[in-house]
Amino acid sequence: MRVTVERNALLKALGHVQSVVERRTTVPILSNVLMQAGEEGLKLTATDLDMEVVEEVAANVLEGGAGTAPAHLLHDIVRKLPDGSQLSIEQPDEGRVAVISGRSRFMLPALPPEDFPDLAAGEPSHEFAIPVDDLAFFIERTKFAISTEETRYYLNGIYFHTLEREDGSVAMRAVATDGHRLARAELPAPEGAAGMPGIIVPRKAVLELLRLLDAAEEDVQVALTQSKIRFAIDGVVLTTKLIDGNFPDYERVIPIDNDKRLEVDTRLFAQAVDRVSTVSSEKGRAVKLSIESERLVLSVNNPEAGSAEEELSCHYEGEPLEIGFNARYLLEIAAQIESATTVFLFSDAASPTIMRDSDDDRTIYVLMPMRV
Amino acid sequence: MAIRRLPETLINRIAAGEVVERPASVVKELVENALDAGAGEVETIFRDGGRSLIEVRDDGCGMTREDLALAVERHATSKLDDDSLVRIITLGFRGEALASIAAVARLAIISRRQEADTAWEIRVEAGRKEEPRPAARAPGTTVSVRDLFFATPARLKFLRSARAETMEAARVLRRLALAHPDVAFRFVTEARAVFSLAPGTEEARIAAILGRAFLDNAFAFAAEREGYSVRGWGSLPTFSRGQPDQQYLFVNGRPVTDRQLSGLVRAAYSDVLEKGRHPSVVLHIACAPELVDVNVHPAKREVRFRQPALVRSLIINALREAIAREGQRTAMPVRGMVPAGDDNKLPHQEKPAAGAAFADRLSQEAARLSLAAQAPLMDLPPQGRHSAGLAESKTAFAGVADVSAPDLSPAGLDAGADAGAAETGAEAAENHPLGAALAQVHGTYIIAQTQDGIVIVDQHAAHERIVLERLKRERAAGGISRQGLLIPEVVELDADSADAVLAHAEMLADLGLVVEPFGPGAVLVREVPAALGHCDVAGLVRDVAADLIAHDLPQALQERLEHVLATFACHHSVRAGRFLTREEMDALLREMERTPRSGQCNHGRPTWVKLTLADLERLFKRA
């Protein structure tokens, strides 16, 4: 293998693939990036065995072939080369890869490319194209609620599925929950997605996908097989295994007859929660909401660090209510709400509460209260 | 095969299997008889690990000829005055021991009543009784058991080595001796006298059996409620062991083993003890005989209380209260460590090896002196935790140190105060137990001067404990907040575990865990302690269930809640390396004096150690 490639193009591609590579791994080949020189240029592949990212870089291929090199090392080297420089990658012998640019010359240890694992995804059952903004919307609105607790592994990702609406159109939903709160986002389903099975996309892949979407312009091509999903984003292909488990029947935990409705200014509410929770020292301390018709009082009572109280004007219909929530959960949901007004729907102090954007019925958030 | 009645000899052998398990159980039965007979002196002789001879001699009330003939019969006893098992005040009551032993060994008893002029002897061999005949003996009783298990060869095969059986017998005797400090105990084998304990105070007996160090690093505790009283001694949290092998439980003077005891003790010491360490305790429970059932186990190793939950909480609360009161003390083998660490830097110091013989003599000398007035902090001989290589020099130094230990009594304090005043001018802060801060060294330790010496404080460890105690107060005042689960979690357990968890649902709810029944062998978790965040609910419930079955306390849950506080405290306390001003150091010392359990950090390590003037003088050979 012998190729010359432009530094900036290679750096961008390496930036994408190297974030898949775990810093510490017990399988040496997994810390390497696979480089394959072919007619179309240089193809870079990195994997952690659950997820794979492949990206092509325009390159001048003098001699075809394949090699591997430590991903983080290669990325650091390329990053430190001067902007706009050309570099050449070659393989003097089987055990080494040479990176040469101007007067710099690096020799890196290489592992045989045949050992590089292949995350081959079989024949897809469903293929569709989804706009970048839609996919980003799904992920951004739900990712905060993904569970990181590993015993309930089926909650460690975002659940995507489609359903038929009452008007006959097909919608796609993204749902995430950690058992304490739940986030659900809904958009019209892309053509070709109807009837796809419900899938759970793991957290790491979701976060990686979001990074790739940042700079993307064209629609994302999605292909789904029984155990994997593949996203093609502007020349970068991300393939990930799906979480093999059953997502809980989340519809049951979204209350439908919560009749106590509170409307409050989103920003003022978030700022007030943030302020009063300053005096809670212990992790997970509750903020109490005392709600009357035109008055919402937020309070925290911490016997040692003092107490805090803040009053907000609001609009509320229903019996006066006192209810406690984890301050962090309130803030995380409030951060998702873009319109000026947040709507709360309560049942009682021990039951799930709904929070939603007053102008946007595409999202719904459910939060379990805290009790002292 | 037709059903037939078993012959008497076989019945006795079967019964013997329950009571006489090994030589140590023979010792237990015979010595208990001696104690019930009011003996002031009990001697046990062991030959060949108890196989060829076990002999117990006492100076108790003795037996008449008629008694002697009846005593070896099954279900014959003098210890139940009416025909009820409700009020048992003697150690024995079943009337089985002698008959059982006689069924499996060659038994000979020589006994003489105090007022009688002759002794009588009776022999029984494998269940066959001979007529009593006159013999010579001072008042009291001698029971000799020869060729134990000769009649049951199967049991003989399962005996362990002579050494192991002797050690087991010694353990049994020590337990009995702890409960009866007023009785002299001797234990002799063909090779040597294993121990010889003179009658004396309870403290002296404890010192003889658990070691002087235990008593000096222990606190006494006592509590009473609804007819039950507990009292005893517990070691300071910083004076712990790797095994729970020094935990003695006595119920109305009867040594008892209790599976729950070590769990209870650990619960009482939770958050002041290093992980994997166990305190030493001597625990006496006293109650009216009808409140406890001792007829549970053939060898009476276990007992049952009428109100077990009450007894458990009484024990835990008594220990906790004492730890909170005494937990500012620390135990550290300072004396052992100083010379060991400084050998090379102190060229004038006597070489430990050369000094050993001298030190031995001195420590014997010291043992004769009354050491009761010693300051608790300093007189701790090295514990097993330190490498054996250091043991010699430590022993040497400990011996030297002990000689002048009585100087640490109030008279010694005055001398120390004078010296302190002369050197620095009396400072108000010196009147405090932890003294006035002088300096910080290596950004980590605070050196303070007290009336009678210097105190070295580990600033991080000390502050960590102070922060933890503040957080605990906060939590106690605010209650434990619970996070509801959007999707309640079903936890599959076995039926016993589920029942245990549900039976304690109220107690668990107070700790933030709300559970409901969910069919047989499963529970539904509705709410979890908010402080635990996203925890492994199923794992937590299973651990809690195991704890509840073992000792009725949700130890796992409490430990996890405490761990959250401890981690927070660790991250929010003054670190090593942080420069402190004199005012800050003094403030820390005063706060330590106010804070309960401040003698050890959250991980059970000591927060401070003390060197008295006497210690310093010894180091410099001024003493």
Side-chain angles (χ1 to χ4, degrees):
Chain A
M1 180 180 70
R2 234 174 94 213
V3 296
T4 58
V5 58
E6 202 268 321
R7 178 257 183 194
N8 291 6
L10 183 63
L11 181 62
K12 179 165 158 281
L14 279 172
H16 290 149
V17 300
Q18 64 108 24
S19 63
V20 177
V21 177
E22 296 284 356
R23 288 265 165 201
R24 282 172 279 273
T25 160
T26 54
V27 187
I29 193 84
L30 294 183
S31 51
N32 280 21
V33 56
L34 174 68
M35 299 176 287
Q36 290 165 297
E39 279 170 17
E40 290 124 51
L42 183 64
K43 190 163 98 174
L44 303 176
T45 308
T47 180
D48 66 357
L49 289 180
D50 286 327
M51 176 168 57
E52 177 193 80
V53 172
V54 182
E55 182 157 359
E56 300 232 357
V57 188
N60 185 10
V61 178
L62 306 170
E63 195 184 311
T68 72
H72 295 297
L73 204 55
L74 186 61
H75 181 251
D76 287 347
I77 289 168
V78 175
R79 188 168 51 82
K80 290 176 183 175
L81 289 174
D83 195 7
S85 56
Q86 290 285 320
L87 59 104
S88 106
I89 300 172
E90 48 198 85
Q91 216 169 2
D93 56 63
E94 277 214 347
R96 293 182 301 169
V97 163
V99 178
I100 303 150
S101 175
R103 298 185 184 188
S104 315
R105 195 181 163 83
F106 299 88
M107 277 296 190
L108 306 179
L111 292 169
E114 310 83 73
D115 292 354
F116 202 83
D118 182 16
L119 209 69
E123 202 50 39
S125 63
H126 290 78
E127 283 180 280
F128 54 88
I130 182 168
V132 171
D133 287 347
D134 284 8
L135 189 54
F137 176 82
F138 276 140
I139 296 173
E140 276 167 356
R141 290 289 175 259
T142 56
K143 72 172 199 299
F144 72 94
I146 298 174
S147 169
T148 51
E149 197 267 306
E150 284 176 4
T151 47
R152 292 208 274 182
Y153 59 93
Y154 48 83
L155 299 182
N156 298 150
I158 297 180
Y159 177 62
F160 288 92
H161 74 119
T162 57
L163 76 165
E164 197 168 318
R165 286 173 171 152
E166 278 174 16
D167 61 6
S169 65
V170 178
M172 178 178 269
R173 276 183 184 171
V175 188
T177 180
D178 60 7
H180 297 178
R181 62 258 167 88
L182 176 145
R184 188 190 83 186
E186 180 178 318
L187 291 171
E191 208 169 310
M196 75 171 207
I199 54 168
I200 309 169
V201 182
R203 179 188 159 84
K204 185 178 173 186
V206 160
L207 299 181
E208 206 51 52
L209 196 54
L210 198 58
R211 277 160 37 94
L212 294 173
L213 291 174
D214 218 20
E217 284 158 9
E218 293 166 32
D219 284 0
V220 177
Q221 302 295 323
V222 182
L224 186 62
T225 70
Q226 204 183 352
S227 63
K228 297 192 185 75
I229 189 165
R230 166 167 292 168
F231 301 90
I233 309 150
D234 285 3
V236 186
V237 179
L238 183 150
T239 309
T240 178
K241 284 185 186 164
L242 297 169
I243 292 178
D244 185 12
N246 292 325
F247 200 78
D249 180 10
Y250 70 88
E251 285 286 358
R252 283 191 320 159
V253 306
I254 303 178
I256 45 173
D257 43 13
N258 281 9
D259 53 354
K260 302 189 178 81
R261 184 183 171 95
L262 167 75
E263 285 180 24
V264 65
D265 183 285
T266 310
R267 293 309 133 225
L268 294 180
F269 176 76
Q271 286 162 5
V273 169
D274 193 21
R275 269 192 292 272
V276 295
S277 65
T278 316
V279 296
S280 60
S281 70
E282 201 186 305
K283 179 177 149 194
R285 180 72 69 164
V287 172
K288 191 168 80 181
L289 279 61
S290 309
I291 315 160
E292 291 166 28
S293 63
E294 296 299 320
R295 203 169 81 115
L296 166 64
V297 179
L298 302 173
S299 59
V300 170
N301 195 0
N302 180 353
E304 292 275 324
S307 62
E309 200 176 279
E310 184 159 340
E311 197 178 312
L312 290 171
S313 60
C314 68
H315 185 71
Y316 176 64
E317 301 147 13
E319 294 284 299
L321 179 69
E322 286 201 348
I323 187 167
F325 292 106
N326 183 324
R328 187 166 63 83
Y329 295 168
L330 286 175
L331 289 174
E332 281 178 353
I333 295 177
Q336 305 305 319
I337 293 175
E338 281 174 353
S339 75
T341 307
T342 297
V343 177
F344 285 84
L345 293 168
F346 302 102
S347 165
D348 59 54
S351 305
T353 295
I354 288 180
M355 280 175 78
R356 58 192 316 172
D357 194 319
S358 66
D359 297 345
D360 187 353
D361 56 6
R362 297 175 301 172
T363 51
I364 186 164
Y365 306 99
V366 187
L367 179 57
M368 249 343 243
M370 244 171 102
R371 325 229 307 146
V372 181
Chain B
M1 210 155 55
I3 295 177
R4 63 183 179 101
R5 277 191 192 282
L6 295 177
E8 191 70 10
T9 50
L10 199 55
I11 292 176
N12 281 343
R13 268 178 217 170
I14 291 171
E18 292 174 354
V19 181
V20 185
E21 206 182 336
R22 53 195 295 193
S25 28
V26 174
V27 170
K28 174 184 167 296
E29 297 295 339
L30 297 182
V31 173
E32 282 186 356
N33 281 346
L35 293 169
D36 280 342
E41 211 182 304
V42 180
E43 185 175 25
T44 306
I45 299 164
F46 230 51
R47 203 161 290 158
D48 196 16
R51 280 180 205 217
S52 49
L53 176 69
I54 303 169
E55 188 167 292
V56 174
R57 298 179 187 164
D58 69 55
D59 58 352
C61 61
M63 283 178 279
T64 62
R65 180 182 191 279
E66 294 71 33
D67 280 353
L68 211 49
L70 204 53
V72 294
E73 295 287 330
R74 213 159 140 244
H75 305 308
T77 185
S78 59
K79 299 179 186 179
L80 290 176
D81 42 9
D82 51 13
D83 287 341
S84 123
L85 287 174
V86 178
R87 292 190 57 90
I88 293 168
I89 49 175
T90 47
L91 293 171
F93 59 86
R94 297 164 60 103
E96 265 186 336
L98 287 178
S100 298
I101 295 167
V104 294
R106 295 183 227 280
L107 178 73
I109 309 175
I110 307 175
S111 189
R112 178 176 154 195
R113 296 280 301 177
Q114 298 287 347
E115 68 281 359
D117 31 316
T118 46
W120 288 90
E121 175 173 8
I122 191 167
R123 288 173 180 272
V124 190
E125 237 171 72
R128 276 188 310 280
K129 190 168 79 170
E130 291 171 16
E131 272 304 299
R133 59 181 180 231
R137 197 205 185 283
T141 305
T142 301
V143 183
S144 316
V145 178
R146 284 171 211 279
D147 303 324
L148 183 65
F149 298 136
F150 86 94
T152 49
R155 190 52 73 87
L156 198 59
K157 277 185 210 149
F158 284 92
L159 287 186
R160 289 195 275 156
S161 70
R163 195 174 155 271
E165 296 295 348
T166 307
M167 277 172 58
E168 182 59 31
R171 263 196 288 275
V172 166
L173 282 168
R174 281 201 191 94
R175 282 180 183 277
L176 286 165
L178 259 184
H180 298 272
D182 51 334
V183 177
F185 282 82
R186 259 173 71 78
F187 184 39
V188 183
T189 67
E190 62 267 51
R192 66 196 172 108
V194 180
F195 55 74
S196 177
L197 303 167
T201 61
E202 187 166 15
E203 278 87 352
R205 185 55 61 85
I206 289 175
I209 289 174
L210 282 89
R212 180 80 227 167
F214 167 76
L215 209 55
D216 291 329
N217 289 287
F219 51 80
F221 61 89
E224 206 168 326
R225 206 162 78 202
E226 293 177 40
Y228 293 93
S229 76
V230 304
R231 64 174 189 92
W233 285 263
S235 61
L236 291 177
T238 39
F239 185 82
S240 59
R241 300 172 66 78
Q243 295 292 328
D245 58 349
Q246 276 198 353
Q247 301 185 345
Y248 295 95
L249 173 63
F250 303 95
V251 177
N252 289 340
R254 177 193 305 283
V256 169
T257 53
D258 188 322
R259 283 181 301 116
Q260 300 192 344
L261 181 67
S262 79
L264 282 181
V265 168
R266 233 189 30 184
Y269 276 80
S270 73
D271 108 344
V272 289
L273 203 62
E274 266 179 274
K275 250 201 152 52
R277 307 284 305 169
H278 302 270
S280 305
V281 287
V282 175
L283 180 66
H284 290 273
I285 303 175
C287 61
E290 54 266 31
L291 292 180
V292 59
D293 183 1
V294 289
N295 191 18
V296 177
H297 187 280
K300 296 170 225 114
R301 255 180 302 204
E302 290 169 20
V303 298
R304 259 186 223 139
F305 291 102
R306 193 73 77 70
Q307 291 144 291
L310 178 94
V311 174
R312 274 195 300 271
S313 72
L314 193 60
I315 294 174
I316 290 194
N317 291 337
L319 275 168
R320 281 203 182 136
E321 187 266 327
I323 292 166
R325 179 163 40 84
E326 304 278 344
Q328 294 168 333
R329 287 165 61 191
T330 61
M332 266 290 287
V334 175
R335 191 157 288 168
M337 286 161 67
V338 171
D342 289 358
D343 264 353
N344 301 333
K345 296 171 201 148
L346 298 173
H348 300 299
Q349 194 173 343
E350 213 174 359
K351 281 274 184 317
F358 172 64
D360 263 2
R361 242 184 14 254
L362 282 182
S363 59
Q364 282 162 16
E365 196 80 356
R368 278 215 305 277
L369 295 166
S370 162
L371 300 181
Q374 266 179 249
L377 180 67
M378 290 307 301
D379 56 28
L380 174 63
Q383 278 299 293
R385 296 188 61 190
H386 297 276
S387 70
L390 296 178
E392 195 178 34
S393 66
K394 279 189 225 159
T395 318
F397 201 72
V400 172
D402 280 344
V403 177
S404 51
D407 288 345
L408 302 177
S409 56
L413 274 179
D414 291 341
D418 290 344
E423 278 162 25
T424 64
E427 282 193 46
E430 276 191 32
N431 296 323
H432 293 283
L434 293 179
L438 292 182
Q440 186 187 29
V441 295
H442 294 283
T444 306
Y445 303 103
I446 298 167
I447 311 288
Q449 176 167 324
T450 64
Q451 284 196 331
D452 61 337
I454 61 170
V455 161
I456 308 171
V457 174
D458 177 336
Q459 64 186 46
H460 173 65
H463 194 236
E464 198 177 28
R465 166 60 65 177
I466 291 169
V467 174
L468 177 69
E469 293 295 328
R470 180 170 60 75
L471 291 172
K472 279 162 66 179
R473 280 200 304 278
E474 229 174 279
R475 178 176 278 172
I480 294 173
S481 43
R482 315 189 296 262
Q483 171 67 52
L485 293 182
L486 204 48
I487 308 165
E489 192 154 334
V490 178
V491 182
E492 301 280 351
L493 298 163
D494 57 275
D496 286 351
S497 303
D499 288 347
V501 170
L502 294 169
H504 295 82
E506 214 166 299
M507 183 205 288
L508 294 177
D510 287 342
L511 290 168
L513 191 69
V514 178
V515 292
E516 283 174 15
F518 194 78
V523 295
L524 187 73
V525 180
R526 288 230 173 254
E527 295 174 18
V528 295
L532 296 187
H534 292 283
C535 60
D536 171 6
V537 177
L540 173 65
V541 173
R542 271 192 282 273
D543 290 354
V544 167
D547 285 340
L548 290 174
I549 288 175
H551 44 64
D552 274 1
L553 288 167
Q555 187 77 6
L557 181 53
Q558 267 158 343
E559 268 169 17
R560 280 177 216 205
L561 286 167
E562 266 160 21
H563 181 74
V564 172
L565 294 188
T567 309
F568 185 92
C570 186
H571 294 158
H572 292 78
S573 50
V574 170
R575 288 300 173 98
R578 155 96 179 272
F579 175 77
L580 297 175
T581 62
R582 275 274 284 277
E583 288 72 22
E584 287 175 297
M585 291 189 271
D586 275 329
L588 182 68
L589 296 177
R590 298 295 83 78
E591 188 68 36
M592 283 172 71
E593 286 156 6
R594 276 196 298 273
T595 304
R597 293 174 281 270
S598 65
Q600 48 281 315
C601 75
N602 309 346
H603 316 290
R605 293 190 299 270
T607 55
W608 60 279
V609 296
K610 184 171 179 179
L611 284 172
T612 61
L613 274 179
D615 292 318
L616 294 173
E617 281 163 2
R618 227 170 283 124
L619 274 176
F620 293 100
K621 303 284 171 206
R622 294 178 60 147

